């Protein structure tokens, strides 16, 4: 969940699963979150709905641990 100030500037991200939060200070965060946005369509039961949520890394790890198939992993080489 994302919290914005009056100027629509992102100021905080809260994990929808566990509630842990991180203040966004000048665009910098010390924790990372997974952000999901899904616009549901005609063939779903949620047609016209847009769902958004954020998960902290620990909740992401718990979610993907339950997958039948592991996430696809690629390592990015950084300079
Ligand atoms: Zn969490």
């Amino acid at each position: 969940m994302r919290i914005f100030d009056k100027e629509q500037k992102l100021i905080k991200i809260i994990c929808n699963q566990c509630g842990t939060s991180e203040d966004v200070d000048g665009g910098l965060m010390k924790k990372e979150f997974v952000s999901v946005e899904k616009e549901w369509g005609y063939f779903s039961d949620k047609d016209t709905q847009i769902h958004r949520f954020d998960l902290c890394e620990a909740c992401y790890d718990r979610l993907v641990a339950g997958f039948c198939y592991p996430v696809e992993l690629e390592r990015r080489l950084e300079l």
Side-chain angles (χ1 to χ4, degrees):
M1 181 169 71
R2 291 168 175 250
I3 308 297
F4 297 89
D5 67 9
K6 293 175 187 170
E7 287 83 36
Q8 295 303 306
K9 181 179 157 194
L10 179 64
I11 56 173
K12 180 180 285 221
I13 299 181
I14 302 169
C15 175
N16 286 73
Q17 179 71 36
C18 73
T20 189
S21 66
E22 177 75 7
D23 292 328
V24 179
D25 184 18
L28 294 176
M29 296 186 301
K30 293 178 181 146
K31 295 178 185 171
E32 295 195 20
F33 291 77
V34 172
S35 301
V36 175
E37 178 177 303
K38 170 63 180 169
E39 183 173 346
W40 294 96
Y42 179 77
F43 295 106
S44 74
D45 293 333
K46 305 170 191 64
D47 190 19
T48 73
Q49 295 181 23
I50 300 172
H51 291 193
R52 294 184 190 92
F53 62 87
D54 297 279
L55 294 177
C56 71
E57 187 174 6
C59 289
Y60 168 84
D61 288 344
R62 281 192 288 273
L63 173 71
V64 301
F67 285 4
C68 291
Y69 299 96
V71 298
E72 294 178 34
L73 190 153
E74 179 180 348
R75 292 195 188 277
R76 182 181 305 270
L77 298 175
E78 294 191 40
L79 300 175

